[in-house]
């Protein structure tokens, strides 16, 4: 099966076919051919299954890369809890792009469905979303991640400073992280999205509404969503200013106060 034929397939069926092919191979149903025609079919089927195995291995590598980045953020969150008595991260979610979505994206890019095509043209196969409480936490975490010596920044899009036309705000990073396997080291790309709770709330609702069919007055809805995004951004900025104001009004702790506070929170921080 060549790349052109693969791109013409109904992509909603790809995941099911892959699972079926793997199940067939595990069941030992790919037998030695008895004729020349059977041999050609056998060779094509074997080649296809080998490609599927390579594809699944590539997805495994992306999944492991997500774990590496997830661990890095978990470590940063634990550090902040121990040193600053607060968690900058509210939640972390990961997702591996579905095969059908990968195929659709490659088709739009007029790129072949192949392992090399995926590596070259799809930079968000592995994705991790970090939700924070405050805007400044976003940039603090991003700088801390990028500053690590095993992380390479591939691309950065700041939709907070420059929001999308519909009001969407978030910080997007494409980073490369080395993943160590039993027989090799591979540098794998991961897309990182960092946003506040309010930004995430808006983006989730906007995503749901965007896929509603036959909605009347779509422009009016889009205008109201944009207005909501602006209000939410202003709320984010106000909450951050309030936090800074409260922190500035608090009495400066003594060195002994800081030491005893760290001791009191030590067990909680490392649990």
């Amino acid at each position: 099966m060549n790349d052109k034929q693969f791109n013409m397939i109904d992509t909603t069926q790809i995941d099911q076919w892959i699972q079926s092919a793997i199940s067939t191979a595990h069941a030992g149903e790919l037998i030695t051919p008895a004729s020349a025609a059977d041999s050609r079919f056998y060779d094509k089927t074997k080649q296809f299954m080998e490609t599927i195995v390579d594809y699944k291995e590539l997805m495994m590598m992306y999944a492991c890369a997500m774990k590496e980045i997830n661990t890095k953020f978990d470590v940063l969150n634990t550090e902040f809890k121990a040193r600053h008595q607060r968690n900058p991260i509210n939640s972390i979610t990961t997702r591996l792009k579905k095969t059908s979505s990968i195929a659709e994206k490659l088709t739009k890019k007029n790129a072949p469905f192949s392992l090399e095509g995926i590596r070259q043209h799809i930079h968000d196969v592995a994705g991790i979303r970090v939700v924070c409480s405050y805007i400044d936490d976003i940039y603090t975490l991003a700088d801390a991640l990028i500053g690590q010596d095993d992380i390479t920044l591939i691309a950065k899009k700041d939709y907070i400073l420059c929001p999308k036309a519909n009001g969407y705000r978030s910080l997007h990073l494409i980073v490369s992280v080395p993943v160590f396997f039993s027989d090799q080291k591979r540098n794998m790309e991961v897309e990182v999205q960092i946003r506040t709770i309010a930004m995430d709330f808006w983006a989730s609702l906007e995503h749901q509404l965007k896929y509603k069919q036959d909605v009347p007055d779509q422009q009016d809805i889009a205008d109201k969503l944009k207005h909501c995004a602006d209000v939410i951004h202003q709320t984010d900025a106000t909450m951050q200013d309030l936090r800074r104001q409260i922190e500035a009004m608090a009495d400066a702790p003594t060195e002994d106060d800081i030491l005893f506070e760290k001791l009191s929170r030590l067990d909680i921080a490392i649990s």
Side-chain angles (χ1 to χ4, degrees):
M1 180 178 296
N2 59 37
D3 297 326
K4 184 177 180 181
Q5 289 172 320
F6 206 109
N7 282 335
M8 293 173 64
I9 293 175
D10 179 3
T11 56
T12 60
Q13 301 297 321
I14 292 176
D15 284 317
Q16 291 86 342
W17 288 349
I18 288 175
Q19 293 301 327
S20 176
I22 292 175
S23 298
T24 298
H26 286 170
E29 296 179 22
L30 191 61
I31 60 176
T32 303
S35 66
D38 289 342
S39 179
R40 288 192 296 271
F41 176 77
Y42 175 89
D43 291 341
K44 288 180 179 292
T45 304
K46 183 179 179 181
Q47 182 181 4
F48 176 73
M49 286 189 169
E50 288 173 348
T51 300
I52 294 302
V53 170
D54 290 341
Y55 171 79
K56 280 298 184 181
E57 183 169 324
L58 179 62
M59 293 301 105
M60 175 273 293
M61 291 179 176
Y62 277 117
C64 291
M66 285 193 307
K67 291 181 179 180
E68 293 282 354
I69 299 298
N70 196 349
T71 299
K72 288 179 178 294
F73 279 117
D74 188 50
V75 168
L76 289 171
N77 204 36
T78 301
E79 176 194 354
F80 270 76
K81 187 174 183 179
R83 291 186 173 181
H84 307 291
Q85 291 77 56
R86 75 179 188 88
N87 294 100
I89 298 176
N90 182 266
S91 65
I92 301 176
T93 56
T94 61
R95 70 101 183 94
L96 198 64
K97 210 171 190 66
K98 292 182 178 179
T99 308
S100 55
S101 298
I102 292 174
E104 289 172 0
K105 197 164 186 176
L106 286 171
T107 299
K108 290 178 181 178
K109 292 176 175 286
N110 197 29
F113 191 101
S114 64
L115 302 186
E116 190 60 28
I118 293 171
R119 284 191 288 261
Q120 286 189 2
H121 298 284
I122 310 294
H123 304 289
D124 62 344
V125 174
I128 182 166
R129 180 175 298 155
V130 181
V131 179
C132 305
S133 297
Y134 301 99
I135 295 174
D136 55 0
D137 289 336
I138 295 174
Y139 295 103
T140 298
L141 289 168
D143 290 343
L145 176 69
I146 296 170
Q148 297 184 18
D149 58 12
D150 61 341
I151 293 291
T152 302
L153 178 65
I154 306 298
K156 177 180 179 180
K157 292 184 179 179
D158 192 337
Y159 294 116
I160 300 173
L161 291 178
C162 300
K164 292 185 178 181
N166 64 351
Y168 174 84
R169 287 178 171 86
S170 183
L171 180 65
H172 289 198
L173 308 172
I174 303 294
V175 299
S176 175
V177 60
V179 184
F180 292 85
F181 300 100
S182 62
D183 59 345
Q184 61 178 310
K185 180 185 79 170
R186 291 289 294 272
N187 292 312
M188 305 299 298
E189 290 184 357
V190 179
E191 183 195 47
V192 179
Q193 297 180 1
I194 315 178
R195 59 180 65 158
T196 64
I197 298 170
M199 293 173 192
D200 190 58
F201 164 75
W202 182 92
S204 297
L205 292 182
E206 191 272 343
H207 181 77
Q208 293 176 24
L209 293 172
K210 185 168 63 175
Y211 288 96
K212 299 290 184 182
Q213 300 297 320
D214 301 322
V215 178
D217 300 324
Q218 290 189 16
Q219 186 57 51
D220 179 61
I221 292 174
D223 292 341
K224 289 178 178 177
L225 279 171
K226 174 63 167 60
H227 174 70
C228 287
D230 293 339
V231 171
I232 285 175
H233 179 66
Q234 185 58 51
T235 302
D236 264 338
T238 301
M239 293 299 292
Q240 181 168 277
D241 288 342
L242 286 172
R243 192 201 81 203
R244 290 174 177 172
Q245 183 179 349
I246 292 170
E247 290 175 348
M249 292 172 59
D251 293 334
T254 65
E255 291 184 2
D256 288 344
D257 290 336
I258 295 173
L259 176 60
F260 284 119
E261 180 67 21
K262 287 184 177 180
L263 285 172
S264 66
R265 294 179 176 271
L266 183 60
D267 289 336
I268 298 175
I270 62 177
S271 62

